[in-house]
Amino acid sequence: MELYFLGTNAGIPSLQRNVTSVALRMLEERRATWLFDCGEATQHQILRSPLKLSKLEKIFITHLHGDHLFGLPGLLSSRASQGGESPLTLYGPKGLKQYIEVSLGLSESRINYELIIKEHQGGLLFEDDKFRVESALLEHRIDSYGYRITELDKPGKLDDEELTRRGVRPGPAYGKLKNGESIETPTGMIHPHEVLGAPKKGRVITILGDTRPCRAAIELGKEADILVHEATFMHELASTAYDYHHSTAVQAAEIAAEAHAHKLVLTHFSSRYKDEVQLEPLILEARAIFPNTILAKEHEMVPIDRECDL
């Protein structure tokens, strides 16, 4: 899994950065991509990326401010012409369904794939045998949500030597043991715990919408392998950040530290910071509190490593 940032600016695009969108690429895990927010021109950014709209499976919208969803109608309309025929599910706050239906309806846009829109107020949004997605309300001018994506633990490695000793060859029996089933052999029963190593811990990714520092951000980011948090301003503008219901780089680092996250990625930068030179003070402020912090950069992949892999 890796994150690919398509937009890192706050409010409006600039010549250097587009507005908010980040993709979670899970090609090995489920041959799919999930998108978090879809600011204006996100589909243009995708055209300049290794991402494919045909692989897009889910879109999660944090809140209904324009810099986080104005790119949705165009992207949804273009998806089919770029090979996207499989169902696509949108998750977001109340009002998302109306926005999509009105914008696509008035423009007479035709969607020839199944589009499912699920409005929510937080809680458990999705779960299958590989992933679970939970959400909680943050603190912003309008309802803004954070998302916690949990990769479920995987079975441990089979002890090939022990299985050979017991006369079990690779095949269906291996699959049953991996799935937690006991098997019967001529020499007796073999139970999974006898031949399986420790489970491989799944990764946790937390992606937050716009927010002031709040308890929900800490809970969503608890022990996350990677936490994506807005850092709209330097800390010298903390009062401005508070007035506009945003966070500073220092506040994002404090959230990551209290949550015991493993890596912090800062994004959603004010357009007053034109380039990496002007953004450098933000990263220095954050690293003074939480050293394992990086700045999100557009069109750069951020691998999601397990803590044990670091």
Side-chain angles (χ1 to χ4, degrees):
M1 284 192 293
E2 51 264 329
L3 291 175
Y4 190 94
F5 286 85
L6 296 158
T8 60
N9 231 34
I12 58 174
S14 69
L15 292 175
Q16 295 79 23
R17 300 187 300 270
N18 199 47
V19 283
T20 301
S21 183
V22 56
L24 175 59
R25 198 164 75 152
M26 302 180 289
L27 298 186
E28 292 184 9
E29 293 77 14
R30 60 193 301 126
R31 297 182 179 180
T33 297
W34 292 358
L35 193 66
F36 293 80
D37 285 332
C38 188
E40 183 181 358
T42 292
Q43 67 168 316
H44 290 266
Q45 294 286 78
I46 289 175
L47 290 173
R48 293 190 287 270
S49 80
L51 305 174
K52 304 293 182 185
L53 285 180
S54 59
K55 298 289 187 183
L56 188 57
E57 181 184 39
K58 297 180 183 295
I59 301 177
F60 298 85
I61 299 298
T62 61
H63 63 294
L64 302 186
H65 278 155
D67 58 320
H68 293 256
L69 87 163
F70 278 170
L72 261 181
L75 183 145
L76 295 176
S77 299
S78 298
R79 181 174 180 261
S81 63
Q82 296 185 34
E85 299 177 351
S86 57
L88 175 63
T89 305
L90 305 185
Y91 299 84
K94 181 176 175 58
L96 178 62
K97 183 178 177 68
Q98 180 184 7
Y99 172 74
I100 295 300
E101 289 179 344
V102 170
S103 58
L104 295 183
L106 290 177
S107 61
E108 298 188 7
S109 301
R110 296 178 181 176
I111 305 296
N112 60 357
Y113 54 85
E114 184 181 8
L115 180 62
I116 305 158
I117 303 174
K118 295 188 176 183
E119 296 182 336
H120 68 82
Q121 294 180 304
L124 179 64
L125 305 183
F126 170 79
E127 187 171 27
D128 63 8
D129 61 342
K130 294 181 179 179
F131 287 91
R132 179 172 65 250
V133 181
E134 299 161 286
S135 181
L137 183 66
L138 303 171
E139 188 176 327
H140 194 48
R141 290 190 291 120
I142 63 174
D143 284 357
S144 179
Y145 289 88
Y147 295 98
R148 180 181 174 93
I149 306 96
T150 302
E151 180 186 32
L152 303 186
D153 293 349
K154 297 178 181 179
K157 190 177 186 304
L158 285 169
D159 187 336
D160 293 329
E161 291 185 6
E162 177 64 16
L163 287 168
T164 299
R165 190 184 69 79
R166 296 197 189 194
V168 180
R169 296 179 176 274
Y174 272 43
K176 288 182 178 180
L177 289 166
K178 274 272 193 182
N179 290 330
E181 301 176 39
S182 299
I183 62 171
E184 187 172 359
T185 72
T187 58
M189 295 292 293
I190 299 179
H191 304 288
H193 71 271
E194 298 173 334
V195 292
L196 274 176
K200 191 173 185 180
K201 185 171 176 55
R203 290 159 287 185
V204 176
I205 306 99
T206 299
I207 300 174
L208 303 181
D210 293 2
T211 186
R212 288 173 174 166
C214 63
R215 175 54 52 180
I218 297 168
E219 292 300 320
L220 287 170
K222 187 175 181 181
E223 297 185 357
D225 292 279
I226 195 162
L227 167 62
V228 180
H229 196 297
E230 68 135 291
T232 309
F233 301 107
M234 288 178 58
H235 203 63
E236 65 183 15
L237 295 174
S239 61
T240 302
Y242 182 85
D243 290 343
Y244 286 93
H245 292 78
H246 285 296
S247 298
T248 68
V250 165
Q251 291 167 339
E254 290 171 343
I255 292 292
E258 189 166 351
H260 300 289
H262 305 308
K263 177 181 279 190
L264 171 64
V265 184
L266 302 179
T267 189
H268 199 269
F269 310 117
S270 168
S271 57
R272 71 182 60 207
Y273 309 116
K274 303 299 183 187
D275 53 31
E276 288 187 30
V277 173
Q278 294 186 14
L279 284 174
E280 186 174 0
L282 279 78
I283 192 71
L284 293 177
E285 287 185 338
R287 283 178 176 169
I289 296 167
F290 191 82
N292 195 17
T293 300
I294 63 173
L295 295 177
K297 297 180 181 179
E298 294 179 18
H299 298 293
E300 286 194 11
M301 204 80 73
V302 179
I304 302 170
D305 301 311
R306 296 174 178 85
E307 183 189 11
C308 60
D309 296 332
L310 299 176

